[in-house]
Amino acid sequence: MSGRPPERPGARTTLQKLLSRFHFGITLFAVALSGITILLAGITTLRSYADRNIELAAKLGAYGAEPALVFNDPQAAQEGLEPLMHIPGIARLRLLDDRGRPLYQWASPLGDPAPLLTHLFFPRPSAATVERNGSVIGRIEVWGDSSTLIDYVRIGALAGLGCLLITAFGTILLARRFEYELVKPLGEIATVAHDVRLHRRFDKRVQPLGIAELDRLGGDINALLDELQGWQGTMESEKAALAHRASHDMLTALPNRAAFDEQLRQRILIAETKGQRFALLFIDADNFKAANDNHGHAAGDAVLVELSERIKDTLRKGDFAARIGGDEFIVLIDPLDESIRPDGLADRIRASAAQPIALPGGAEYRLGLSVGTAVYPDDGVDARALLTAADAAMYADKLNNRSK
């Protein structure tokens, strides 16, 4: 009976079997390494975005919680922090006063899908101080959870497992090919994974490799990168939205106190360098409380929105307006030249605000304003001095209005 003799124990393996085992092992290793690299890169990127979003949320909460800390009002704290309670990935909030005593606490009613991931990626809360007129009046702490990461980890694990299964099937068919023909396309995949890991190049894609199985693998990796790029775009949009909320008043869309402080600092530096003058107007509504008391908070909000629009309509293109408190506004007239008188501008703002304001219920409301002005450098050369001078002038104007 003819045939191939049986192999003796300890006989040397054939080159074909050696290449087959080598190709199979190196392919699985490279693909597994690429999958793990992309998964870890994605988790790292998403974690950095999540940390930044939580940080921005803390700053946004610090602005919204300022009135509550001033008046020690837990209900106002709840209303001020309400927008943060709807942001995915926030598990718990805590507002502390200047003595470290809790004023308001909130915990998400949704369970943490992966406490281990939360403990690993969000071991500590993100905190922001709450300031008023340059003094710290409290602190807000924001805890994150794993809800923004768990979906990616689950999909990434399944996609990685699918890639490994496809690769295992493909390597069986490709075991007889020469090493160069197999290693070269794997090098393309490794290059893409390298760029993703080191440079966060989620726009990179695996090009057609000429091998059906590896092309399928490249398609799976490209699909995963498509998802990562989409999530990256979403996180960037959310980051931009949170950054805008952190620097703008949510009701009137005007810049808030933090944005005003930065704007004033910059304009003082420019004015000092160029020898220019500018004016600061401190505006306060005299009878705004009556709008809320007599017509409701919706009417009060409508008054504030309309007042902000009228203030903006009286300004030039380069001037700046901000809402820094409940019914308090700041205007920067910059630069200030001989053709512009701060008192004249204040009169125009008063006249504009005095026009009837239509309320949601159909009624009309007339608003009175008290306006105080300060001029740089006549009334001060730093932010504190200018604000103090404008505030004092505003209160003097308010007393004068009451005496009429």
Side-chain angles (χ1 to χ4, degrees):
M1 180 177 177
S2 62
R4 189 171 55 183
E7 293 183 355
R8 299 189 306 272
R12 293 183 179 181
T13 185
T14 64
L15 180 60
Q16 179 181 351
K17 292 181 179 179
L18 180 61
L19 287 177
S20 177
R21 288 198 297 265
F22 175 77
H23 288 162
F24 186 79
I26 197 64
T27 303
L28 287 182
F29 174 79
V31 173
L33 182 61
S34 300
I36 292 173
T37 299
I38 293 175
L39 183 62
L40 292 179
I43 291 176
T44 302
T45 302
L46 290 177
R47 180 195 174 186
S48 66
Y49 285 134
D51 287 342
R52 181 58 179 162
N53 283 348
I54 292 176
E55 180 183 349
L56 289 174
K59 292 180 180 179
L60 176 62
Y63 173 72
E66 178 185 344
L69 287 169
V70 172
F71 297 101
N72 196 30
D73 187 352
Q75 180 63 31
Q78 180 180 1
E79 295 175 357
L81 298 177
E82 177 70 19
L84 303 186
M85 302 177 189
H86 302 291
I87 298 177
I90 293 182
R92 188 154 62 98
L93 303 170
R94 184 169 68 169
L95 182 63
L96 307 173
D97 62 18
D98 57 347
R99 297 183 180 179
R101 298 175 300 187
L103 177 63
Y104 178 75
Q105 300 184 71
W106 172 85
S108 174
L110 304 177
D112 191 342
L116 183 60
L117 281 179
T118 299
H119 178 73
L120 181 62
F121 290 107
F122 306 102
R124 293 179 299 274
S126 179
T129 58
V130 184
E131 297 183 0
R132 181 176 177 83
N133 296 329
S135 299
V136 177
I137 61 173
R139 170 186 173 93
I140 183 171
E141 297 176 343
V142 180
W143 282 264
D145 63 19
S146 61
S147 59
T148 56
L149 298 175
I150 190 63
D151 289 338
Y152 169 74
V153 173
R154 185 183 297 113
I155 294 174
L158 291 176
L161 180 59
C163 290
L164 289 175
L165 292 176
I166 293 173
T167 304
F169 176 75
T171 52
I172 294 175
L173 300 178
L174 297 173
R176 297 177 178 234
R177 295 200 176 185
F178 294 104
E179 180 180 352
Y180 176 77
E181 294 178 350
L182 185 60
V183 171
K184 183 178 179 180
L186 287 176
E188 297 292 335
I189 296 176
T191 299
V192 172
H194 184 78
D195 284 343
V196 170
R197 182 177 67 87
L198 290 184
H199 308 295
R200 301 296 187 266
R201 292 287 306 277
F202 293 108
D203 59 327
K204 296 285 289 184
R205 294 295 181 270
V206 178
Q207 300 301 318
L209 303 174
I211 301 175
E213 292 77 11
L214 291 183
D215 278 338
R216 288 202 298 269
L217 172 61
D220 289 337
I221 292 177
N222 287 342
L224 183 58
L225 289 174
D226 287 338
E227 293 184 15
L228 282 174
Q229 190 173 24
W231 288 336
Q232 183 185 35
T234 300
M235 297 296 283
E236 287 286 357
S237 299
E238 293 178 356
K239 175 183 174 182
L242 284 175
H244 183 271
R245 292 180 185 177
S247 61
H248 286 74
D249 175 53
M250 297 183 65
L251 176 63
T252 64
L254 287 175
N256 60 19
R257 180 57 186 264
F260 161 72
D261 290 339
E262 177 61 21
Q263 188 72 207
L264 179 58
R265 183 187 69 81
Q266 294 179 4
R267 301 215 178 197
I268 289 175
L269 290 176
I270 295 174
E272 182 180 9
T273 302
K274 297 184 177 181
Q276 296 177 343
R277 301 170 71 243
F278 68 85
L280 185 151
L281 276 63
F282 197 117
I283 303 171
D284 183 79
D286 292 335
N287 55 342
F288 172 70
K289 187 175 183 298
N292 277 329
D293 294 343
N294 298 333
H295 301 281
H297 289 288
D301 290 346
V303 169
L304 291 175
V305 171
E306 180 62 25
L307 175 59
S308 68
E309 292 297 326
R310 294 183 182 183
I311 290 175
K312 288 191 293 185
D313 289 342
T314 62
L315 304 182
R316 301 171 303 177
K317 183 177 180 180
D319 297 334
F320 178 85
R323 180 190 178 199
I324 64 170
D327 57 353
E328 295 178 340
F329 296 81
I330 288 283
V331 170
L332 294 176
I333 308 301
D334 185 21
L336 187 65
D337 52 43
E338 298 297 331
S339 63
I340 301 175
R341 292 188 309 104
D343 292 341
L345 179 61
D347 291 339
R348 289 202 303 270
I349 293 176
R350 290 191 190 94
S352 177
Q355 298 300 316
I357 298 175
L359 300 182
E364 291 185 345
Y365 191 79
R366 294 181 181 271
L367 187 65
L369 298 181
S370 294
V371 184
T373 64
V375 177
Y376 174 93
D378 303 350
D379 299 311
V381 294
D382 57 40
R384 184 182 294 273
L386 289 172
L387 284 171
T388 300
D391 188 55
M394 183 274 292
Y395 275 105
D397 187 47
K398 188 179 290 289
L399 292 175
N400 183 54
N401 293 338
R402 290 177 179 174
S403 63
K404 291 182 180 180

